[in-house]
Amino acid sequence: MASELRAAFTKAKNEGRNALVTFITAGYPTIEDTVPILKGLQDGGVDIIELGIPFSDPIADGPTIQVANTKALDNGITVPKCIELVKLARKAGVTIPIILMGYYNPILIYGEQKMVEDSKAAGANGFIVVDLPPEEAVKFRDTCSGAGLSYVPLVAPSTTDDRLKLLGEISDSFIYVVSRMGVTGAQTAVTSAVGGLCKHIRSLTGGKTPLAVGFGVSTREHFLSVGNSSDGVVIGSKLVTLIGESKPGERGETAKKYVQSILNGDGSPNIPNSTFDQQSSLKEKPEFHEDHKHNPRFGDFGGQYVPEALHACLRELEDAFESAIADPTFWEEFRSLYQYIGRPSSFHKAERLSEYAGGAQIWLKREDLNHTGSHKINNALAQVLIAKRLGKKDIIAETGAGQHGVATATAAAKFGMTCTVFMGAEDVRRQALNVFRMRILGAKVIAIQNGTKTLRDATSEAFRYWVSHLKTTHYVVGSAIGPHPYPTLVRTFQSVIGQEAREQYMKLNDGKLPDLVVACVGGGSNSSGTFYPFENDKSVKMMGCEAGGDGINTERHSATLTAGEPGVFHGVKTYVLQNSDGQIHDTHSVSAGLDYPGVGPELAKWKATGRVKFIAVTDAEALEGFRLLSQYEGIIPALESSHAVYGAVQEAKKMSKDQNIIITVSGRGDKDVQSVAEVLPVLGPKINWDLRFQSGEDASK
């Protein structure tokens, strides 16, 4: 069946034209429309169809495909239904090759071997997996070829020569060439660099494999222009838009007429004088190795599961990070900022809270006293220094609770850089004070309206923006999440928390170590920074407190490590809150900073090995932690930190008075006062806290 793909290019070449490859999203606009659209594409003259398997978080795709994915998922499309649509299309008379195209997580959850076997049985010809790294691609290619199916690799303008050689070696039908950096979407013009790009790819891959170029093609003129250099042309977003705008019952005909206009319009094709073999000659055991000073993997977790175009961004950042931390002058400059941050941060015993708990002695590591009010400033300043070394003056960041956004805006202002912060619209609403602080600092805040309108969507949008603006822009990821090197980078700069806490505690306790260290867990920036310096101290137990929301027996929580399963999300293999189809769950937490369905891969490793214990703290329990620290110690903590306070107090009650616990208070609670006032009418009665916000004359009564 892989041979049919190569034959399609041969047929088109013999007809004196380029092969036309089209993309549509399965289940869009409706599931029932899909087969008639596939039939219309064939009737219009398309050579190969890419049938998109929808994914909830497609970081390589622009607005058109995002909307199509969301609508298809709302319609109830699943991986089994996508496979069934191929089967139905074959029964309806669709005979041209069909490739299933999508992101890795739904395939991983379905099972790679089962996916290949079921897809072959339905009549599919192969796969394109957008975010599969080369080492994983080799394995998946072998699974596909064992069943007679094709694995089609994606390459981008930024793909390194070593990667190009490998991807050429594993290709058995054609290579999909992404024509430009950025995300999918129709353009008014196509890049003029396609010719040089195709020539370079052919020189490294042997020139015997057809090239199909996509991203931005939408007109007959584009088709002819791109076709001067490529063997095939891929069109997706424009077709999806036209289908979405057409009336029910007319969508198959709309698809047919559009592709006919591409194939039969004005102008004559001028196809390249390329030659390719009728049969592929796969290299059975291609070798590929990339050098990393820091292992991208944390046991079974970690890695770089990203679209090919993002690899250039990550390689540049990794090189800059490794160069910086090996340079004493970098550390000298970073540590010279400690006075600006307020480091070392305060460390002291919580006398009254310890007395309340009645067991272990409780100590507080006060990251809330840092400049900007949280631990986020540690990482933000360090990354801006790296951006300065790279000569980049435009800074972007994602944020949930707003603390990372404020810290990044602060760092950018200090070093004279522009700052754009991506923030979910729901978080913009509930963290209005921090949004205004960012704007005071000169940052632009972009409210993300799609998806859940929270941190998850802000992160996806930041990645999309970064890949389109790499030359001038550095992305300051705020948590220990995402593809390598971010988890290692963020943990490296946040480890100052645990390093100081360890030294400060030992100095006050005759060189002894604490019995337990506690931190809240969202993505993992403060927890990984707190735990890492204690990792090899086997006598020290560690506990992470996740956002239990309304309870882990409900769907309204963000307890990824407590209730999630291994998967791939935002470029990394880790624990993920997902459904049985590999789609990412919506999450909930009273705390915006913990409202995220993934977690850092190092924390995932610590869970898998048992080194760290993780618990879920509900919204009501977090509010109790908020009240306890406020009223027993005169410290109003962030709602994120309040999860750790509650968890630590419960553990302290079970321990003896000669034992000791450290809590990292990751941020202060000024930003959360409005949120607390909003939830008190619902959550207050659950913890017997009869407090309500009053203003004006009411407050004096």
Side-chain angles (χ1 to χ4, degrees):
M1 298 176 82
S3 61
E4 295 174 10
L5 289 163
R6 191 173 283 255
F9 285 89
T10 301
K11 175 177 177 290
K13 189 175 184 65
N14 291 339
E15 294 174 0
R17 62 176 178 84
N18 302 103
L20 177 58
V21 183
T22 54
F23 171 91
I24 67 164
T25 302
Y28 178 81
T30 69
I31 294 176
E32 294 72 24
D33 284 321
T34 302
V35 172
I37 291 170
L38 296 175
K39 189 73 166 56
L41 292 172
Q42 175 174 272
D43 293 345
V46 166
D47 298 284
I48 298 169
I49 296 172
E50 296 170 356
L51 183 62
I53 301 173
F55 183 51
S56 53
D57 296 77
I59 63 173
D61 290 300
T64 298
I65 306 302
Q66 290 178 51
V67 168
N69 279 354
T70 300
K71 177 62 175 172
L73 291 170
D74 288 345
N75 290 338
I77 196 71
T78 61
V79 173
K81 287 181 180 178
C82 289
I83 296 172
E84 179 66 18
L85 286 172
V86 176
K87 187 176 182 180
L88 292 173
R90 294 308 188 201
K91 287 182 178 179
V94 177
T95 59
I96 61 174
I98 298 174
I99 298 172
L100 291 169
M101 181 175 184
Y103 291 77
Y104 183 48
N105 197 55
I107 296 173
L108 175 68
I109 300 307
Y110 192 89
E112 292 182 25
Q113 186 69 46
K114 179 175 169 55
M115 183 75 181
V116 170
E117 292 172 355
D118 291 354
S119 299
K120 179 182 180 179
N125 296 82
F127 296 89
I128 298 174
V129 186
V130 176
D131 55 347
L132 202 58
E135 62 274 17
E136 300 274 358
V138 171
K139 299 174 188 175
F140 188 60
R141 188 284 307 263
D142 290 345
T143 303
C144 291
S145 60
L149 300 189
S150 176
Y151 174 76
V152 179
L154 283 149
V155 303
S158 59
T159 303
T160 65
D161 288 356
D162 286 344
R163 293 171 76 94
L164 278 174
K165 290 174 184 176
L166 173 79
L167 295 172
E169 288 173 351
I170 68 173
S171 174
D172 56 7
S173 56
F174 70 96
I175 297 172
Y176 187 141
V177 181
V178 176
S179 65
R180 57 181 172 80
M181 300 295 283
V183 296
T184 58
Q187 301 288 307
T188 57
V190 293
T191 176
S192 60
V194 169
L197 177 61
C198 289
K199 183 178 180 180
H200 182 65
I201 293 169
R202 287 192 178 100
S203 72
L204 291 169
T205 60
K208 301 296 185 181
T209 303
L211 305 182
V213 176
F215 270 46
V217 180
S218 61
T219 67
R220 167 73 173 175
E221 181 184 0
H222 295 167
F223 179 77
L224 295 175
S225 175
V226 171
N228 288 333
S229 307
S230 67
D231 305 295
V233 181
V234 184
I235 299 179
S237 294
K238 181 64 175 180
L239 175 60
V240 171
T241 297
L242 291 173
I243 291 170
E245 292 173 347
S246 61
K247 296 178 182 178
E250 299 179 3
R251 287 157 181 162
E253 186 66 19
T254 296
K256 176 182 175 180
K257 288 180 178 179
Y258 174 66
V259 297
Q260 285 177 333
S261 74
I262 296 296
L263 290 169
N264 305 316
D266 294 335
S268 299
N270 181 26
I271 62 175
N273 187 28
S274 56
T275 59
F276 41 84
D277 297 335
Q278 299 303 305
Q279 296 293 326
S280 63
S281 54
L282 282 176
K283 187 169 182 179
E284 288 192 10
K285 294 184 178 180
E287 296 180 0
F288 179 73
H289 176 72
E290 284 184 325
D291 291 325
H292 300 278
K293 290 183 180 177
H294 295 85
N295 192 343
R297 300 280 178 175
F298 299 89
D300 294 332
F301 305 99
Q304 291 181 329
Y305 295 81
V306 295
E308 186 62 26
L310 259 177
H311 278 280
C313 311
L314 297 171
R315 184 81 249 184
E316 180 187 67
L317 175 60
E318 183 177 0
D319 289 345
F321 167 61
E322 290 173 349
S323 170
I325 62 174
D327 184 354
T329 63
F330 170 81
W331 287 110
E332 183 179 341
E333 183 175 14
F334 179 49
R335 288 171 181 143
S336 73
L337 295 168
Y338 277 13
Q339 282 191 312
Y340 178 76
I341 298 171
R343 304 219 71 89
S345 60
S346 175
F347 182 87
H348 61 85
K349 185 185 286 189
E351 299 281 1
R352 293 194 65 236
L353 189 63
S354 299
E355 184 179 339
Y356 164 82
Q361 305 305 300
I362 298 172
W363 301 75
L364 305 178
K365 180 58 175 166
R366 299 289 305 280
E367 292 297 295
D368 59 310
L369 295 179
N370 290 344
H371 180 41
T372 73
S374 80
H375 69 291
K376 295 292 188 180
I377 191 68
N378 305 323
N379 169 61
L381 280 169
Q383 286 206 50
V384 166
L385 290 179
I386 289 176
K388 190 174 77 164
R389 289 170 71 97
L390 287 168
K392 298 186 177 184
K393 294 185 177 296
D394 299 328
I395 300 297
I396 63 170
E398 89 297 331
T399 196
Q403 289 299 101
H404 176 58
V406 169
T408 305
T410 298
K414 180 166 180 59
F415 287 96
M417 300 180 179
T418 69
C419 182
T420 301
V421 179
F422 296 87
M423 191 172 188
E426 170 59 16
D427 292 338
V428 168
R429 181 198 66 79
R430 57 183 174 177
Q431 294 294 337
L433 176 61
N434 270 344
V435 172
F436 194 59
R437 291 172 72 195
M438 287 180 247
R439 289 173 173 156
I440 289 173
L441 290 161
K444 178 182 179 182
V445 180
I446 298 178
I448 307 304
Q449 299 290 344
N450 56 292
T452 58
K453 304 179 184 180
T454 58
L455 177 59
R456 155 191 177 184
D457 310 290
T459 302
S460 294
E461 204 58 43
F463 273 120
R464 293 184 186 112
Y465 182 92
W466 188 34
V467 74
S468 303
H469 300 84
L470 175 62
K471 188 171 290 187
T472 61
T473 303
H474 174 68
Y475 178 15
V476 180
V477 169
S479 201
I481 58 171
H484 180 74
Y486 277 115
T488 299
L489 182 154
V490 173
R491 181 255 288 151
T492 296
F493 297 128
Q494 292 293 7
S495 288
V496 65
I497 302 170
Q499 290 163 2
E500 287 182 2
R502 190 176 185 278
E503 292 171 6
Q504 290 166 322
Y505 178 87
M506 291 176 71
K507 186 176 181 179
L508 294 170
N509 291 274
D510 300 322
K512 296 178 182 177
L513 289 168
D515 298 282
L516 176 65
V517 178
V518 182
C520 64
V521 177
S525 57
N526 98 91
S527 53
S528 63
T530 298
F531 295 155
Y532 183 71
F534 290 96
E535 182 179 17
N536 295 322
D537 296 323
K538 301 306 181 185
S539 66
V540 179
K541 295 180 180 179
M542 297 185 281
M543 186 174 77
C545 300
E546 296 191 286
D550 292 346
I552 59 172
N553 58 333
T554 74
E555 293 187 354
R556 285 173 50 82
H557 65 80
S558 300
T560 307
L561 289 162
T562 306
E565 297 290 339
V568 172
F569 175 58
H570 279 158
V572 64
K573 183 176 282 188
T574 184
Y575 280 86
V576 181
L577 291 173
Q578 58 191 316
N579 66 18
S580 60
D581 201 51
Q583 307 299 337
I584 309 305
H585 268 313
D586 292 346
T587 55
H588 162 77
S589 172
V590 69
S591 160
L594 303 185
D595 200 351
Y596 184 70
V599 70
E602 191 162 29
L603 290 160
K605 183 196 80 170
W606 286 334
K607 172 187 168 63
T609 60
R611 181 63 187 93
V612 180
K613 172 185 175 182
F614 294 95
I615 66 168
V617 174
T618 68
D619 287 349
E621 290 167 343
L623 195 62
E624 174 69 358
F626 180 88
R627 176 173 67 169
L628 287 174
L629 196 61
S630 297
Q631 297 186 355
Y632 279 91
E633 295 294 336
I635 300 167
I636 301 176
L639 281 172
E640 291 82 9
S641 310
S642 300
H643 289 72
V645 172
Y646 179 85
V649 167
Q650 301 315 304
E651 289 298 307
K653 291 177 179 179
K654 306 172 192 174
M655 297 165 67
S656 63
K657 292 188 177 182
D658 62 350
Q659 292 183 294
N660 293 270
I661 298 174
I662 295 175
I663 306 172
T664 293
V665 183
S666 58
R668 67 183 185 224
D670 311 40
K671 66 182 180 63
D672 292 319
V673 170
Q674 179 180 340
S675 294
V676 169
E678 289 176 2
V679 301
L680 269 171
V682 175
L683 298 181
K686 295 182 179 181
I687 59 172
N688 297 315
W689 195 8
D690 186 20
L691 176 67
R692 300 294 180 271
F693 180 79
Q694 296 174 312
S695 60
E697 293 182 4
D698 291 338
S700 63
K701 293 179 182 178

